[in-house]
């Protein structure tokens, strides 16, 4: 908060906590239940579910998770995982909405709320981008695995298919 009066300026802050969870709680308390549910499911729960599913697809072998099921899961995560970037846009929109000001008509007094994004906001954006990168890496290794598996079906003496982590560059050639 920035107060200005009689030629003097005083700043107080950071004075407000701002997060996705607080947005969901505020929406629920305001009676906007659908918005609160969407924020809770899509902005809070979905990123964790997406990362757990990516880790499962990365580590699970074909005996546990068939190649076709892994293909379907990775396609689903690739198509719908991109919606995580909307959270970044909503965060920027919310920061802009909290940017408020007041100016007195009778004196030089002003009051201004100037939200500043800090490390948690940038960490959130970075995590969203990292989730997309991990999804693309998993899809790329899956395509490589599928090509390798097709070649293996031609030669039955080669061992059975493996989990995606087997195809990572630090493992190839071992």
């Amino acid at each position: 908060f920035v107060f200005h009066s009689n030629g003097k300026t005083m700043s107080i802050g950071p004075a407000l906590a701002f997060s996705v969870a607080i947005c969901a709680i505020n929406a629920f308390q305001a009676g906007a239940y659908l918005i609160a549910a969407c924020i809770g499911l899509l902005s809070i729960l979905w990123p964790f579910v997406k990362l757990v599913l990516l880790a499962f697809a990365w580590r699970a072998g074909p005996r546990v998770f068939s190649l076709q099921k892994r293909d379907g899961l990775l396609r689903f995560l690739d198509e719908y995982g991109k919606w995580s970037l909307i959270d970044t846009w909503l965060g920027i929109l919310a920061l802009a909405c909290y940017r408020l000001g007041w100016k007195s008509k009778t004196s030089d007094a002003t009051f201004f709320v100037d939200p500043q994004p800090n490390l948690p906001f940038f960490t959130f954006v970075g995590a969203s981008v990292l989730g997309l990168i991990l999804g693309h890496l998993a899809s790329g290794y899956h395509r490589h695995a599928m090509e390798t598996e097709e070649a293996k079906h031609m030669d039955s003496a080669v061992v059975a298919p493996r989990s995606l982590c087997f195809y990572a560059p630090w493992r190839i050639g071992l």
Side-chain angles (χ1 to χ4, degrees), residues 16-44 86-98 115 121 124:
L16 298 172
F18 182 74
S19 71
V20 176
I22 289 173
C23 286
I25 291 168
N26 289 343
F28 185 81
Q29 290 173 341
Y33 302 116
L34 182 60
I35 292 174
C38 286
I39 292 171
L41 291 173
L42 300 175
S43 297
I44 297 172
I86 289 180
D87 293 338
T88 303
W89 180 81
L90 290 174
I92 292 168
L93 181 66
L95 282 172
C97 289
Y98 281 108
F121 178 78
F124 178 74

Side-chain angles (χ1 to χ4, degrees), residues 40-171:
L41 291 173
L42 300 175
S43 297
I44 297 172
L45 186 62
W46 169 244
F48 291 107
V49 170
K50 178 184 170 189
L51 290 175
V52 167
L53 290 173
L54 273 173
F56 177 72
W58 182 255
R59 294 295 300 169
R63 290 187 184 121
V64 176
F65 200 53
S66 72
L67 296 176
Q68 291 77 20
K69 288 182 182 177
R70 182 172 69 194
D71 184 58
L73 175 65
L74 289 174
R75 285 180 191 271
F76 173 80
L77 292 176
D78 189 45
E79 290 171 6
Y80 293 99
K82 292 174 179 67
W83 288 97
S84 297
L85 286 178
I86 289 180
D87 293 338
T88 303
W89 180 81
L90 290 174
I92 292 168
L93 181 66
L95 282 172
C97 289
Y98 281 108
R99 192 174 176 97
L100 306 169
W102 173 82
K103 181 175 171 138
S104 172
K105 291 184 178 181
T106 59
S107 67
D108 71 339
T110 61
F111 171 72
F112 187 64
V113 179
D114 186 22
Q116 299 291 320
N118 291 322
L119 183 61
F121 178 78
F122 295 113
T123 303
F124 178 74
V125 172
S128 296
V129 172
L130 181 62
L132 290 174
I133 290 170
L134 291 175
H136 286 296
L137 284 174
S139 294
Y141 286 125
H142 174 71
R143 282 190 299 276
H144 175 69
M146 293 299 283
E147 291 167 1
T148 303
E149 298 313 318
E150 287 174 7
K152 284 182 183 179
H153 288 301
M154 292 177 204
D155 182 7
S156 60
V158 182
V159 295
R162 297 189 169 104
S163 65
L164 282 180
C165 60
F166 177 80
Y167 298 97
W170 56 86
R171 294 287 312 257

